[in-house]
Amino acid sequence: MRAVSISAAPYDGYPFPQVCDSLAACGARYVEPAFIVGYTEPFDETSFRPAEARAHRAALDASGLACHAFSSHIDLGRDDAVEVFKWRMDFAAALGAAVINTNAAERSRAARFRDNIGPLAEHAAALGLVIGLENPGNGEDNLVNAAADGLELLRELALPAVRLNYDPGNTASHRPGRINASADAVAALPGCAHFHLKDVRRDADGWRFVVPGTGDIDCAAIMEGLAARADLPFAVELPLRLRRGPDAQPIRASAPVPLAAIQAAVRDCLAFVRRWIPEA
């Protein structure tokens, strides 16, 4: 059975054991932990110590959930990316993850990205992990702006431990009006080791994240593509505490979303997915 996860993103601000218990109560089987600077609760590299990994693993075991994918985005073209991301890969592997999702790099850091990705892919393979390069949503020129960029980058790198984690919700704000997010998502599937199902609704204040099937993206077309790829795991990502402004930059609310609202949204997400994949 493929892993269909719910991202921990809507629970931003809640302790991980409570996140796991809530997701289990909603009927989820997999959780995708999320550590993304500016998008989730503030953290530093001490969050990835072995003791923290053991605590997260204990919360997973107590709730009966599993972790297949782990999100911890950095720019892999940073000077310190190899050291920082190896540490995060160790943490993800300790939770049982098979995929760790991150951004590739801003195009201005392409040369350093190419220096870094080989050692990172080697470490990922040693851990039994695949690195999922995710297209960004902030409008800044990236090595993976769209599906075609990502597929070409994979061909160039030819590293089995490096694949894509495509996110159509990011495409909507990253290249508004220029790329059809659902069509681009389906085009990216051959290069994906994982996928983020995310929907958005645009308004005068930017973009708000909504339950799949209720926003501007044709998530039904995407689900048809995912249903045909029984080997491809994916996660529903709904960062309820976050929105993007008109400039596509993330804006995080000052307080967590009430738990009852999160749980209602999670159940709606699962109900949407189960129209195509009843066992999810």
Side-chain angles (χ1 to χ4, degrees), residues 93-141:
L95 270 58
V99 178
I100 181 166
N101 296 318
T102 180
N103 293 126
E106 291 185 16
R107 200 166 290 274
S108 61
R109 294 184 175 132
R112 190 55 189 264
F113 169 85
R114 287 174 171 81
D115 290 339
N116 291 342
I117 195 63
L120 289 173
E122 183 178 357
H123 191 68
L127 293 171
L129 281 172
V130 173
I131 298 170
L133 300 179
E134 184 171 334
N135 52 304
N138 60 7
E140 296 173 1
D141 194 24

Side-chain angles (χ1 to χ4, degrees), residues 1 4-5 23-24 27-31 64-67 270 274 279-280:
M1 182 182 298
V4 178
S5 308
L23 283 173
R29 294 175 183 156
Y30 294 88
V31 58
L65 294 184
C67 172
L270 287 168
R274 286 171 181 155
E279 70 276 12

Side-chain angles (χ1 to χ4, degrees), residues 152-226:
E152 178 58 32
L153 183 62
L154 294 185
R155 284 191 287 270
E156 176 191 333
L157 297 175
L159 295 168
V162 180
R163 303 293 288 166
L164 301 180
N165 175 66
Y166 191 89
D167 187 319
N170 287 350
T171 301
S173 56
H174 191 62
R175 294 291 183 263
R178 294 164 56 186
I179 298 176
N180 182 301
S182 60
D184 204 54
V186 173
L189 292 180
C192 288
H194 194 259
F195 188 93
H196 274 168
L197 180 64
K198 186 161 73 187
D199 203 353
V200 295
R201 185 182 301 128
R202 189 174 187 178
D203 58 27
D205 296 322
W207 289 266
R208 299 185 185 276
F209 301 103
V210 296
V211 171
T214 66
D216 299 337
I217 296 172
D218 186 358
C219 289
I222 293 172
M223 285 305 306
E224 290 174 2
L226 289 173

